[in-house]
Amino acid sequence: RDNVRDPQYGWGDVEWGDVGVVASIKGDICLVSFPTHFGGFPLWKGAVTELHYVEDVGMFRGLIDVNQRLFANRSEEDIVLEAADGIEYAHRSMLMAASDVFVAMFAPTMREGQSGRVQLPGVKRVALLVFLRLLYTGLTDPEDWDACADSNLQLPLDILLSVSTLARKYMVA
């Protein structure tokens, strides 16, 4: 906001007038990614009331593209997510940036932190894939739920509910 000259949580590496993307909101605190600073990380902490909404996301296309490339290049060398009907891969750092639950899970003393594997026996792989794409990019892709086969571009309700359950369980905003 124009009238904020001394933010409650300080400026960090950003300056007045910088434009960022809100990564998460918890109560009145938000985490903001500034793509012009260190590729958008680390996230800046601020008060929601001190932000000003800007509609033009064109300047963030690069950040979205980077996250889409990260999503496309997930490998088994980092975290293996074992769904009921298959596996998906993720970057430990991306999961931890999105959720304090993952931060705790990947602590060296925890089973998941030691093995690099997370067991999700009640979750279908397709829901996990949609969840991960949303987590990485904020976008969905109908190919993730085989929409091309039945010409339905809408996310099926059962998958949406499963993704919502995952987001709640792992406290991903």
Side-chain angles (χ1 to χ4, degrees), residues 33-137:
S33 172
F34 288 87
T36 57
H37 300 284
F38 310 109
F41 293 96
L43 299 174
W44 177 79
K45 179 180 178 181
V48 172
T49 57
E50 296 175 341
L51 300 182
H52 179 74
Y53 177 73
V54 179
E55 285 193 38
D56 181 15
V57 296
M59 69 181 294
F60 300 111
R61 177 55 43 202
L63 179 61
I64 293 169
D65 290 343
V66 166
N67 286 349
Q68 285 177 323
R69 283 196 301 272
L70 279 171
F71 178 77
N73 292 310
R74 297 167 293 129
S75 74
E76 60 188 272
E77 297 172 4
D78 204 355
I79 295 296
V80 178
L81 301 165
E82 301 175 356
D85 57 347
I87 59 173
E88 286 294 332
Y89 304 102
H91 297 96
R92 179 185 306 252
S93 58
M94 184 64 82
L95 296 174
M96 291 173 70
S99 162
D100 289 341
V101 174
F102 286 123
V103 170
M105 284 176 69
F106 298 136
T109 56
M110 299 298 286
R111 178 182 63 213
E112 295 86 355
Q114 293 172 1
S115 69
R117 299 181 87 78
V118 177
Q119 296 178 347
L120 304 163
V123 177
K124 291 184 180 178
R125 184 173 175 237
V126 64
L128 183 56
L129 181 61
V130 172
F131 171 77
L132 289 172
R133 186 181 299 276
L134 278 167
L135 187 140
Y136 274 75
T137 69

Side-chain angles (χ1 to χ4, degrees), residues 8 30 47 131 142:
Q8 180 177 348
C30 62
F131 171 77

